[in-house]
Amino acid sequence: MPSTLFLDGMRFAMVSSTASEVDSDAPTTFDYHQDGRLIWGEYTGDTVTEGRFVGEIAGAEVRVSFAHALVSDGSVVRGDAVSRAEQEDDGRIRLIEDFAVDGIDHVSVCLQV
């Protein structure tokens, strides 16, 4: 992966998560915006009604703080995450994200669509 990521305008779909089962027919999708090292975006789908994130690009890592409302009960989940970027053989970017919810560590994987 290049030392500086450029994710502006890209969309990623969640393919797996240890925090919840991913609906492969309607996965959570993430839309990225970027200005220099600043990164922000929104996400929705599957277990999330609406979510937002903001953070920074640091080399091949994406570091963000996030908040989203759950479909199940409307409660708001907040946290911090660090994703490492890997390039697939077909050129797409895969983000492997480490995050914690309620003190429990999780990993999710998102793939550029």
Side-chain angles (χ1 to χ4, degrees):
M1 242 7 282
S3 62
T4 302
L5 289 172
F6 186 73
L7 303 177
D8 191 47
M10 291 186 183
R11 174 173 279 181
F12 290 80
M14 185 174 289
V15 295
S16 67
S17 178
T18 60
S20 65
E21 188 171 330
V22 175
D23 181 350
S24 60
D25 293 327
T28 304
T29 56
F30 300 78
D31 293 311
Y32 279 76
H33 311 283
Q34 184 174 348
D35 184 6
R37 290 180 47 200
L38 177 65
I39 195 105
W40 71 95
E42 51 280 336
Y43 56 104
T44 189
D46 201 1
T47 61
V48 174
T49 58
E50 196 66 44
R52 299 284 186 270
F53 62 88
V54 64
E56 68 175 335
I57 298 285
E61 287 186 341
V62 179
R63 300 175 185 162
V64 300
S65 294
F66 64 87
H68 62 259
L70 295 175
V71 169
S72 61
D73 63 6
S75 64
V76 175
V77 176
R78 294 174 191 85
D80 297 300
V82 176
S83 298
R84 69 182 182 280
E86 297 178 352
Q87 192 150 21
E88 297 285 295
D89 291 339
D90 63 7
R92 292 183 298 166
I93 298 171
R94 176 180 297 269
L95 296 175
I96 298 114
E97 178 182 70
D98 294 306
F99 65 101
V101 174
D102 297 328
I104 300 170
D105 292 332
H106 293 283
V107 177
S108 67
V109 177
C110 292
L111 187 60
Q112 181 184 355
V113 293

